[in-house]
């Protein structure tokens, strides 16, 4: 696999010399080719799906459809239309000695991506890396290997047709050895990004010898305040929980102020229609008993509050104050996305100031935590760390910088 890394390194240096206009033109060609070859991609995806049980929460992540392929292609077109993130002068100054300094954005070089059963990631990562002048080495999960290989084959066909080194995107075998190789590819992989569940992220962080940016798991909470609007709350909670249960921005825990506990059954009514299983604390259980389907209502345990369900499941916690809600989030949240539903601006501002997460919402569902929804074209992941990028990572986050210094013969004493 060292040869693969070498080829990617060489291709990345070439890619950085291509104009942004040309890179955008090629991305549009790839987007068109994805749609034109959707039957090939769907056939490969069907082979992957046949190996997974339909009741597996990851099935929805793995599944591609014609509309999803169209959406991926449109995201790629959006990326192509965005301004180049390269060559941006983020600092310019002239020193007292006459030296002229500029800090300019440049590509990382080679970005390694390790991800699970999400074939859309293959195309999203390629688009963001290609537009930002980076080569990418991909290591997908075995569950999506057929889909990933067909998608990369389509990309390679377009790159070959326009004379671009196909190694600007490489797909490693879906093996543990490939993961180990990427994590130890010192001098070849400039940055590694894991995208998946907590176990994958922890493994990469604990074993990597190359730089890593964590895209954290999403244990997501929504707090319905004593001044929350019932109509807004019902819509927000349902959308955050059931729009797509397998994604990292899906709601895992509803926190409700005890003064609004009588409204809990109304807030949860649309969830019952979707078959959401609720793990409720004592107060919430009493409020829902007889109002929520009994076979879907369970008593909560401590483990339920720190769980990223990725399924039609949700916990409910009753609190006596906004401070208690924030403490609950501090203890059980993952720093991904959190929400408050309230008509009290002071409460909302306090919540947004105090809650430590990459994205903090007021009267809007956490389902919007997405690079495309943020107007970034697409995303390579949601970073929950604080050093470097945080939140949806897109084009700007795919760059580093270097200092350009110009002088006229000055020397240092």
């Amino acid at each position: 696999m060292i040869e693969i890394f070498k080829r990617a390194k060489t291709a990345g240096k070439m890619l950085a010399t291509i104009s942004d206009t040309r890179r955008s033109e090629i991305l549009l060609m790839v987007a068109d080719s994805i749609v034109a070859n959707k039957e090939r991609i769907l056939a490969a995806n069907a082979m992957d799906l046949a190996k997974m049980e339909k009741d597996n929460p990851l099935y929805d992540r793995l599944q591609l459809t014609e509309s999803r392929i169209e959406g991926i292609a449109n995201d790629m077109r959006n990326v192509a239309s965005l301004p180049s993130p390269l060559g941006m002068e983020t600092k310019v100054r002239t020193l007292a000695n006459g030296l002229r300094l500029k800090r300019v954005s440049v590509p990382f070089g080679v970005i390694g991506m390790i991800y699970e059963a999400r074939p859309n990631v293959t195309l999203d990562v390629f688009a963001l890396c290609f537009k930002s002048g980076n080569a990418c080495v991909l290591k997908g999960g075995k569950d999506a290997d057929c889909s990933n290989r067909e998608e990369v084959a389509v990309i390679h066909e377009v790159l070959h047709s326009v004379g671009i080194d196909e190694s600007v995107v490489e797909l490693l075998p879906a093996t543990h050895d490939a993961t180990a190789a990427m994590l130890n590819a010192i001098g070849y992989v400039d940055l590694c990004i894991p995208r998946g569940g907590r176990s994958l992220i922890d493994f990469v962080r604990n074993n990597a010898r190359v730089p890593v940016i964590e895209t954290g798991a999403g244990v997501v909470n929504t707090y319905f305040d004593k001044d929350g609007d019932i109509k807004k709350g019902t819509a927000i909670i349902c959308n955050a929980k059931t729009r797509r249960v397998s994604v990292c921005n899906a709601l895992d825990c509803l926190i409700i102020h005890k003064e609004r506990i009588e409204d809990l059954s109304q807030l949860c009514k649309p969830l019952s229609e979707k078959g959401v299983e609720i793990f409720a604390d004592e107060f919430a259980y009493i409020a829902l008993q007889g109002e929520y389907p009994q076979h879907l209502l369970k008593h909560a345990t401590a483990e339920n509050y720190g769980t990223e369900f990725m399924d039609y499941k949700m916990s409910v916690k009753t609190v006596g104050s906004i401070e208690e809600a924030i403490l609950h989030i501090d203890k059980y949240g993952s720093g991904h996305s959190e929400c408050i539903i309230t008509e009290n601006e002071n409460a909302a501002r306090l919540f947004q100031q105090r809650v430590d997460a990459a994205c903090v919402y007021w009267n809007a569902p956490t389902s919007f935590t997405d690079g495309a929804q943020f107007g970034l074209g697409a995303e390579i992941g949601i970073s929950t760390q604080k050093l470097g990028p945080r939140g949806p990572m897109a084009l700007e986050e795919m760059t580093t910088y270097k200092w350009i210094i110009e002088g006229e013969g000055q020397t240092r004493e």
Side-chain angles (χ1 to χ4, degrees), residues 391-405:
M393 297 168 55
L395 285 176
E396 289 187 16
E397 289 71 34
M398 294 300 96
T399 66
T400 180
Y401 61 80
K402 62 182 176 184
W403 288 93
I404 304 296
I405 304 97

Side-chain angles (χ1 to χ4, degrees), residues 360-386:
V360 186
Y361 291 82
W362 173 21
N363 287 346
T366 55
S367 49
F368 282 108
T369 301
D370 177 277
Q373 293 296 313
F374 277 26
L376 307 178
E379 71 181 30
I380 206 165
I382 308 292
S383 171
T384 57
Q385 66 184 38
K386 299 181 183 180

